[in-house]
Amino acid sequence: AKERAALLIFETGVTGDSAKALELVRSGKFDRKQVMDMFRGLGASVETIHSMGAQHLRRQVNKQQFLTPLKVTEAWAKLAAIPAKATVLDPNCGAGRAFWGVPNQKLVHGIDVATEALEIAKAVYPEANLLLDDIMNQTFNSEFDYVFINPPFSLPWTDELNFYQNAVNGRRITSDIAMVELAVRAVK
């Protein structure tokens, strides 16, 4: 018997709590933690029924976003014992959750294609080095002390710069493999 999958799409675009977080940031009067807790990312809020059959569709609608909880990023920084003079990169930084526990925001580097997410990151981490760009336009070689990644999973990307050794079939590579390779190359 074939398993049937159903999706219930509740929101699309930047809506709900994410839109409220953007409003707070744009007002200039906000609590950093409140904004980070409120921002849920871009795309749609989706509930799957019979999730095994709907997982692929859910990923497409969610734009592959699975945000790292602040408690996890605090634990990353604590476990890594990041010194104040350490450089940190998150190549898919979104709103900057990975930077939450990093001691020196001036040495933080983040890149993302999502304008609204980067707007949140720039407001929460005003001293950080944040760039609005596609990570596939960037190359790094032994530049950072720490690289944190929570990449979008299984998106088909094309390696236009011929940077990734694991790209195949016309320079194609999945987003998660590309980010692991980039992290290995970017760290000192």
Side-chain angles (χ1 to χ4, degrees), residues 96-139:
R97 288 174 174 267
F99 307 139
W100 192 252
V102 176
N104 188 344
Q105 299 301 314
K106 291 179 184 176
L107 298 176
V108 163
H109 300 265
I111 302 164
D112 208 278
V113 295
T115 305
E116 294 88 352
L118 209 60
E119 185 177 347
I120 297 283
K122 286 179 176 182
V124 173
Y125 309 105
E127 295 181 327
N129 302 286
L130 302 170
L131 177 64
L132 178 65
D133 196 10
D134 185 335
I135 190 58
M136 295 302 285
N137 295 329
Q138 304 293 318
T139 59

Side-chain angles (χ1 to χ4, degrees), residues 25-187:
V25 161
R26 289 173 180 162
S27 76
K29 298 176 183 174
F30 62 92
D31 175 77
R32 294 174 65 234
K33 185 166 184 340
Q34 179 188 18
V35 166
M36 292 304 281
D37 286 340
M38 289 175 72
F39 192 76
R40 300 281 183 233
L42 311 173
S45 297
V46 177
E47 180 180 317
T48 56
I49 301 170
H50 305 295
S51 63
M52 291 300 289
Q55 202 57 244
H56 180 69
L57 292 173
R58 181 178 184 207
R59 287 181 172 181
Q60 285 179 325
V61 173
N62 277 343
K63 299 184 180 181
Q64 302 300 92
Q65 292 187 354
F66 302 94
L67 303 181
T68 309
L70 290 180
K71 287 183 181 182
V72 172
T73 62
E74 288 171 344
W76 284 351
K78 187 174 182 178
L79 289 171
I82 298 173
K85 294 183 179 181
T87 55
V88 177
L89 170 68
D90 182 351
N92 297 101
C93 71
R97 288 174 174 267
F99 307 139
W100 192 252
V102 176
N104 188 344
Q105 299 301 314
K106 291 179 184 176
L107 298 176
V108 163
H109 300 265
I111 302 164
D112 208 278
V113 295
T115 305
E116 294 88 352
L118 209 60
E119 185 177 347
I120 297 283
K122 286 179 176 182
V124 173
Y125 309 105
E127 295 181 327
N129 302 286
L130 302 170
L131 177 64
L132 178 65
D133 196 10
D134 185 335
I135 190 58
M136 295 302 285
N137 295 329
Q138 304 293 318
T139 59
F140 301 102
N141 288 300
S142 304
E143 297 174 38
F144 298 95
D145 297 306
Y146 296 85
V147 178
F148 290 146
I149 59 171
N150 179 5
F153 290 92
S154 304
L155 290 175
W157 286 356
T158 302
D159 179 13
E160 303 281 338
L161 299 177
N162 209 18
F163 178 71
Y164 295 93
Q165 294 175 356
N166 291 296
V168 294
N169 299 333
R171 305 304 308 152
R172 291 171 30 179
I173 189 168
T174 59
S175 52
D176 48 322
I177 300 299
M179 289 304 90
V180 170
E181 187 176 329
L182 181 135
V184 168
R185 291 172 128 192
V187 76

Side-chain angles (χ1 to χ4, degrees), residues 2-42:
K2 285 187 176 181
E3 183 180 327
R4 292 188 180 188
L7 292 175
L8 301 175
I9 301 175
F10 296 110
E11 302 174 357
T12 58
V14 180
T15 59
D17 286 346
S18 293
K20 289 176 187 171
L22 276 169
E23 285 176 29
L24 285 172
V25 161
R26 289 173 180 162
S27 76
K29 298 176 183 174
F30 62 92
D31 175 77
R32 294 174 65 234
K33 185 166 184 340
Q34 179 188 18
V35 166
M36 292 304 281
D37 286 340
M38 289 175 72
F39 192 76
R40 300 281 183 233
L42 311 173

